[in-house]
Every structure is written in C-alpha cells, then in structure tokens.
C-alpha cells in the first residue's frame, strides 16, 4: 500500500472541493492506488496519468467528463521499503459536478 503526503496547496485546493467533487476524486485515487499496487506501471485508462510537459518529476492524473478533474503529484522517497510514496501537490475540480 503506497504512502502519501499532501502539500499545503493540495490541502487548500481539496478543502475547496464540493462533497460531490471529493467523492469523484476519491474514486480516482482508488483507481490510482490499484494501479500502483499492480506493480505494472499501468493505470486505469480513465485516469490519463502522464508526466507534465517537460518536467522531470511532476505528474498529472485526470478524471471525470472530458478529464476536467485534475490532480498533480510526484513520487517521493519511499517511507516504507518497496512501497511507492506519492506527494500530492494540487487538485482542480471537475466543474461539471456543481
């Protein structure tokens, strides 16, 4: 099971999500964690996990209608040997859920 940390920006962003948006983000995170746990490096296609532009370590996952919900993250130093550590950087809501 991966470990995680949340940046101050992520906490502010997440706090601004509606209950429906939080629920959808939670579903996306569950799919993301399942992909991490598989050890294949493959994620559910609905998440559209990809590296951001020319960055070395910042990734994005999107979800919802047309990929309008988005979270950014990076992989940090493992807190437990052999387990991925995800550092959540920010989250933008899927506005179609208002």
């Amino acid at each position: 099971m991966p470990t995680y940390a949340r940046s101050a920006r992520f906490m502010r962003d997440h706090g601004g999500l509606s209950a429906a948006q939080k629920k959808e983000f939670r579903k996306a995170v569950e799919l993301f964690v399942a992909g991490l746990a598989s050890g294949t490096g493959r994620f559910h296609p609905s998440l559209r996990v990809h590296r951001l532009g020319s960055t070395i370590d910042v990734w994005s996952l999107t979800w919802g209608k047309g990929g309008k919900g988005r979270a950014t993250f990076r992989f940090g130093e493992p807190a437990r040997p052999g387990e991925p550590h995800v550092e959540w950087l920010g989250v933008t809501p899927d506005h179609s859920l208002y």
Side-chain angles (χ1 to χ4, degrees), residues 5-69:
R6 298 169 289 189
S7 71
R9 177 182 172 190
F10 176 87
M11 296 301 292
R12 279 190 311 275
D13 292 350
H14 189 266
L17 299 179
S18 70
Q21 291 166 334
K22 287 178 183 177
K23 183 177 178 180
E24 289 302 310
F25 176 62
R26 180 71 178 171
K27 287 180 189 178
V29 169
E30 288 171 1
L31 288 174
F32 178 69
V33 168
L36 289 174
S38 75
T40 64
R42 295 182 187 170
F43 298 96
H44 193 278
S46 68
L47 297 179
R48 297 172 296 282
V49 175
H50 61 280
R51 190 176 315 214
L52 281 183
S54 62
T55 65
I56 295 173
D57 66 345
V58 178
W59 295 74
S60 173
L61 69 85
T62 58
W63 68 93
K65 296 177 183 177
K68 293 178 182 165

Side-chain angles (χ1 to χ4, degrees), residues 78-90:
R80 292 187 296 236
E83 296 291 339
H85 180 74
V86 177
E87 298 174 356
W88 293 105
L89 304 174

